[in-house]
Amino acid sequence: MSKKAILLICIPVLVIAAAVIFMIFTFNSGNGYSGIVTADGAPLANVSVSDGRNVVKTDENGKYYLKGYRKTRFITVTVPAGYTTESYYISADKNKADGYDFNLEKSSVPAGAEHSFLPISDTEIGENGFANG
């Protein structure tokens, strides 16, 4: 195979690869989102916060930063045991990077209290009693 033929193959492959990498980094990331999680005014550490794809934990000052991505619609907090909130999500605004703050309250149900859990699923069972697929 001649050098000219190799170049004719390699150049388009490199251009396509560069375009794909550019699109991944350009269209996959958002501006990022940040905020603080508090409980009755005091910062809470190690609370999980998500933008729908990325999940991070708050630092010792209750602060978090999510890098975001183009499909982010909500910023949500996973409420830890012993706390409660009515506002577990905030609508994401592409023009607003910070101020996604969550204030949790102490729950009347203590952490570690017994509870019941009823798992419900939409199991797809085929005619022969096995899962489809």
Side-chain angles (χ1 to χ4, degrees):
M1 188 178 267
S2 71
K3 289 182 181 181
K4 186 176 181 180
I6 292 173
L7 282 176
L8 289 174
I9 293 170
C10 289
I11 291 176
V13 169
L14 290 174
V15 169
I16 291 170
V20 168
I21 291 170
F22 174 78
M23 290 175 63
I24 288 171
F25 286 105
T26 301
F27 298 115
N28 198 26
S29 62
N31 295 331
Y33 305 94
S34 65
I36 187 168
V37 178
T38 58
D40 301 321
L44 277 179
N46 297 315
V47 177
S48 297
V49 183
S50 175
D51 61 9
R53 172 182 271 174
N54 307 296
V55 179
V56 297
K57 289 197 174 207
T58 57
D59 65 14
E60 63 275 356
N61 298 314
K63 295 181 180 181
Y64 69 89
Y65 175 78
L66 290 157
K67 53 185 177 176
Y69 75 112
R70 64 183 173 88
K71 291 185 179 181
T72 297
R73 294 190 57 214
F74 301 101
I75 307 302
T76 59
V77 64
T78 301
V79 180
Y83 295 93
T84 186
T85 185
E86 296 277 328
S87 305
Y88 60 90
Y89 71 92
I90 301 172
S91 292
D93 180 350
K94 301 246 185 261
N95 299 316
K96 176 183 169 185
D98 59 358
Y100 294 91
D101 301 338
F102 295 94
N103 185 37
L104 309 181
E105 299 170 0
K106 287 276 190 182
S107 174
S108 60
V109 178
E114 287 189 32
H115 65 278
S116 297
F117 179 73
L118 176 62
I120 299 174
S121 67
D122 181 17
T123 307
E124 303 293 332
I125 301 295
E127 291 179 18
N128 59 6
F130 296 102
N132 291 335

